[in-house]
Amino acid sequence: MQRGDSEDSAIDRLGINKLGDILGTVERSINENSRLILTISSRLGHNELISKLFIGSYIVVLDFSTNNEVLLRVSKVESTINPPLSIRGTNSTYIKVISDFVISRIKNNGSYRYTTLLIIPVNGSLVIYPSGDVIREFIGLVGNLMFGKTMINGYDIPIMLNESVLSKGLLITGQPGCGKSFFIKKLIKGLHSIGDYENIIILDRTGEYPKGLIEDGIDVSALVPLDLMKLNRPIDIDELKKYIVDKLRILGFRSKRARITMSMSKNDGIEFNVDFQRKDFGKLSIMPLSIRFRWFIERAINYLDPEIKYVITTLMMENEKALNTAQSFISVIKDPELLNTIGRSPINKAIDLAYSLKDTGYFDALVNVGGDNIDISIFSPIRILKNRIAVIDLHELPDSLMNIYETILIEDITKWFMGSKDNRVIMIVDNAEGLMSNKDLLNSLINSMRIGRTHGVFFIIATRLFSRKLYREFGNLVIMRMNSSLKLSNCPEGMNLLNNEFILLSPWLNINCIKGSIA
C-alpha cells in the first residue's frame, strides 16, 4: 500500500495534527475479544516509535473515511522486521501493537458521541499519540472539580470531574496516614470555590479540619461539645471563654494571634467569633455545645443493650421526668421498687451507663450569664447549619459516646433537610470505621444516605476498613494505600500505592479506573 503526498494533504485538510503526534498508519487490524492487534507502518525510527508505544500508554486510531476515533491502551509491542509483501510500503518501520479497547467516539454535526461500541480500524487509519487535552476528552476529565492529577503518556493531567459526580456519593478507603483527610480537604476547597452547595457539613473525629480549612482562606463554623459539667456546678461565662481559648490551642491555633468576641441570642445560644491577624486566613465561629440528656437517651435507645433499652422504655411510660437529666435517671433507677419490677441485671447495666455518661461532663451544662444560669443544652446542634461550612468537632468525646452521638446527629441532620426543597448538601463522615464496627450503627448510616440522596444530601465517607455492604451504596470509590490487598475487576492499574496516591472508580469516567495523586 503506497502513501505519499496525498496523505499529507489530507491530514492538513482535516486538522489531524490537533489530535496529537502522528505515529503511523494501520496496515492490518485483528480483533480478539476487544483486544486489537494492529500492524503499524511508520516513518519514525524504531527507537522513537517504541518510546511512544510503551505498555500502558494510550493511542488514538482515526478512520479517514468516517472520522470516527478509537482510544486504545497499549498492552504489548512486538517488532516486525520483515513485514509481509501484502503490507510492505514506503515507510521504513513496521511494528505490531497489542492493545485493549477503551472507548470510541463518533463525530456527528460537529460534536462527539462517546460509545463503548468497538469500531474496528480499517487499513489506512492513522495512529496518533494523543495530546493531553485529547486524552482528557476521551477519558472524561473535563469537569470543574479537581480530584488530583495523573500521569498519562508523559503528560501531567488534572483529574477534573463535574461536581455532580458527588450525587452518587464518594467512598474513600485506605489505611491511617495514607492521605484520606488531606484528599477530603482538597475536595472541600474545590467545592467551596465552585459554590454550588449551600452546606458542607464535616463530622470531625480528629479535630484537624478547622485549622486546615481556615488556613486555606475558608470561613468555618465549628460546633464544639464541651465537658463543662465535670466541675459539677454552673460555669461562669469568663470560664467558658477560657475553655474556648484552650480549644483553639488544641485545634492548633495561637490565641495571641486572634481576636475573640462573644455574642448571644435566644435562638442560637452563645457564639464566639474568632478573627485572625493574617488576612489570608478565613474566619472561625465556635458554638459551644452541651448535649441534652433526654434527647440523647431517647434517640440512642435503639443502639443500646436490650436490657438497658427495656429499663428506658419502662421509665418513658411510667415516669416522664426520670430522663430529664443524667442525675434524675440515676436517682430513679436506684429505686428498690423498680429493681423488684425489672430485675437486677438490667438495672445494673442502666446504672453503669448513666454514670459513664454523667462522668463525661458533656450533658446539660449550665452557664452563669449576668447572674442567671442558662442551660446551653437547650440549643439544638442543628443551629450550625445556618453556616455554609460547618464542622462538628467530635474528637474529644469518648468512643462509647462518640459513635452513638455521631449516628443520631447524622440522622437528625438528614431528616432536617427533608423539610426543604432543592437541597444541595455535602455530608462528610471521616474516620467512619467507628460506625462500621456495629451493624446497627452501619445500617443507620446507610439508611441516612438513602434518605439523603432523595433530598439532595450527598455523602462523602472515609474509612480505613473496606465494607462491600457500604460500597454498594456508592457510585464512586477512591482506594488509597491499604494493608490488605483489594482486587478490582477490569482495572489495569497497579494497587501498589504510596501515600497521597489513589485509584478512582467512577461512572463519570470513560475508563474503568484511573490512578492519580493528590494535587
Side-chain angles (χ1 to χ4, degrees):
M1 186 178 296
Q2 302 291 327
R3 298 182 180 86
D5 295 338
S6 60
E7 183 182 278
D8 293 335
S9 61
I11 290 172
D12 292 337
R13 286 198 308 272
L14 294 173
I16 304 304
N17 289 318
K18 294 180 181 179
L19 292 174
D21 298 330
I22 299 171
L23 300 180
T25 306
V26 174
E27 303 292 356
R28 177 184 290 173
S29 61
I30 302 173
N31 176 27
E32 291 185 355
N33 298 321
S34 294
R35 173 163 283 197
L36 286 175
I37 303 174
L38 305 177
T39 300
I40 300 170
S41 67
S42 176
R43 297 177 181 177
L44 302 177
H46 182 271
N47 290 339
E48 186 178 2
L49 193 58
I50 290 296
S51 70
K52 301 284 188 181
L53 296 172
F54 51 86
I55 295 175
S57 65
Y58 289 88
I59 56 175
V60 171
V61 180
L62 169 65
D63 184 340
F64 263 128
S65 61
T66 62
N67 282 340
N68 293 336
E69 301 165 10
V70 181
L71 182 68
L72 304 174
R73 181 185 171 103
V74 176
S75 59
K76 188 177 180 181
V77 179
E78 298 177 356
S79 297
T80 304
I81 299 175
N82 296 309
L85 292 174
S86 60
I87 66 171
R88 190 176 298 172
T90 59
N91 291 338
S92 60
T93 305
Y94 292 83
I95 202 165
K96 181 184 289 186
V97 174
I98 294 92
S99 60
D100 296 310
F101 169 71
V102 179
I103 196 165
S104 302
R105 68 178 183 181
I106 301 171
K107 196 168 187 178
N108 185 18
N109 296 326
S111 61
Y112 290 108
R113 178 173 63 87
Y114 291 87
T115 175
T116 56
L117 176 66
L118 172 58
I119 300 174
I120 308 297
V122 299
N123 293 351
S125 298
L126 284 182
V127 180
I128 298 169
Y129 190 78
S131 67
D133 287 341
V134 170
I135 292 173
R136 289 181 61 197
E137 293 170 6
F138 263 103
I139 294 178
L141 305 177
V142 289
N144 57 354
L145 179 62
M146 177 174 278
F147 278 63
K149 61 182 180 180
T150 186
M151 183 67 69
I152 298 178
N153 284 23
Y155 303 118
D156 209 7
I157 295 177
I159 301 175
M160 303 287 294
L161 299 178
N162 194 285
E163 85 277 359
S164 59
V165 68
L166 298 179
S167 65
K168 298 292 184 181
L170 175 63
L171 176 64
I172 306 166
T173 184
Q175 68 185 60
C178 67
K180 298 188 298 296
S181 298
F182 183 44
F183 181 86
I184 291 174
K185 289 173 194 172
K186 291 287 186 178
L187 280 184
I188 294 172
K189 186 176 181 180
L191 290 168
H192 178 263
S193 63
I194 293 170
D196 283 358
Y197 289 91
E198 61 259 32
N199 285 102
I200 300 174
I201 305 159
I202 305 111
L203 290 111
D204 183 6
R205 283 174 165 250
T206 59
E208 63 183 291
Y209 279 91
K211 186 174 186 291
L213 296 176
I214 285 169
E215 288 178 348
D216 280 335
I218 298 173
D219 294 345
V220 173
S221 291
L223 189 70
V224 182
L226 301 177
D227 55 350
L228 303 177
M229 289 309 291
K230 280 189 173 180
L231 299 174
N232 290 315
R233 62 170 174 80
I235 187 172
D236 186 77
I237 190 67
D238 290 331
E239 290 179 292
L240 178 59
K241 186 172 182 179
K242 291 180 181 178
Y243 258 88
I244 297 302
V245 170
D246 190 52
K247 288 295 178 184
L248 286 174
R249 179 185 59 78
I250 293 172
L251 293 173
F253 297 106
R254 296 181 182 180
S255 59
K256 292 182 179 180
R257 297 184 179 181
R259 183 171 64 89
I260 303 174
T261 58
M262 188 194 78
S263 61
M264 184 172 178
S265 69
K266 293 181 179 179
N267 294 326
D268 297 327
I270 300 170
E271 184 174 349
F272 291 89
N273 297 299
V274 185
D275 289 317
F276 298 94
Q277 291 181 3
R278 289 189 54 168
K279 294 182 179 180
D280 57 338
F281 274 24
K283 295 181 180 179
L284 175 62
S285 168
I286 296 180
M287 297 181 177
L289 171 74
S290 182
I291 304 171
R292 194 159 187 79
F293 181 81
R294 186 180 191 97
W295 168 83
F296 175 81
I297 206 71
E298 289 180 349
R299 296 286 288 104
I301 191 170
N302 292 327
Y303 309 112
L304 300 175
D305 182 284
E307 289 188 317
I308 299 176
K309 181 178 180 180
Y310 174 53
V311 174
I312 296 172
T313 304
T314 301
L315 293 178
M316 289 171 66
M317 294 186 295
E318 296 182 359
N319 189 338
E320 182 181 352
K321 296 182 180 180
L323 302 178
N324 282 351
T325 65
Q327 186 56 55
S328 65
F329 182 47
I330 292 171
S331 300
V332 171
I333 57 181
K334 285 185 173 181
D335 186 343
E337 291 186 10
L338 189 65
L339 176 64
N340 294 332
T341 303
I342 294 178
R344 183 169 299 278
S345 177
I347 291 296
N348 286 343
K349 288 182 178 180
I351 290 175
D352 289 342
L353 173 68
Y355 274 112
S356 67
L357 293 177
K358 181 177 181 294
D359 291 345
T360 66
Y362 284 101
F363 292 89
D364 303 314
L366 299 175
V367 177
N368 188 296
V369 181
D372 295 327
N373 289 333
I374 299 175
D375 183 358
I376 63 172
S377 71
I378 66 174
F379 300 109
S380 169
I382 300 297
R383 70 187 190 272
I384 193 71
L385 301 182
K386 71 175 186 177
N387 302 292
R388 184 165 179 241
I389 309 294
V391 177
I392 302 176
D393 180 17
L394 305 171
H395 82 280
E396 290 195 319
L397 295 177
D399 289 343
S400 57
L401 172 59
M402 184 191 299
N403 293 335
I404 295 178
Y405 182 61
E406 182 176 19
T407 298
I408 58 181
L409 268 182
I410 292 170
E411 291 174 350
D412 281 12
I413 291 172
T414 304
K415 290 176 181 176
W416 187 82
F417 282 107
M418 292 172 62
S420 56
K421 296 181 179 179
D422 301 323
N423 299 309
R424 285 184 61 81
V425 176
I426 295 293
M427 181 103 72
I428 298 170
V429 184
D430 199 356
N431 297 285
E433 53 273 2
L435 306 183
M436 296 168 61
S437 59
N438 180 294
K439 67 175 183 178
D440 292 328
L441 300 182
L442 178 58
N443 288 337
S444 171
L445 176 61
I446 291 173
N447 187 55
S448 293
M449 289 168 51
R450 291 173 178 173
I451 294 172
R453 273 198 301 268
T454 62
H455 294 88
V457 181
F458 310 119
F459 280 72
I460 298 174
I461 293 183
T463 173
R464 67 171 181 263
L465 302 176
F466 182 78
S467 164
R468 293 197 178 276
K469 182 177 182 179
L470 189 60
Y471 170 51
R472 286 194 290 267
E473 301 295 325
F474 288 90
N476 306 283
L477 173 65
V478 167
I479 300 173
M480 306 190 77
R481 182 166 57 85
M482 301 184 69
N483 287 323
S484 59
S485 59
L486 181 65
K487 294 182 179 180
L488 299 175
S489 60
N490 300 322
C491 183
E493 301 290 358
M495 292 300 293
N496 296 322
L497 300 172
L498 302 175
N499 286 343
N500 297 330
E501 290 184 341
F502 59 86
I503 301 290
L504 171 64
L505 293 84
S506 173
W508 266 256
L509 295 172
N510 289 332
I511 57 177
N512 292 319
C513 65
I514 191 168
K515 183 176 181 179
S517 60
I518 301 172

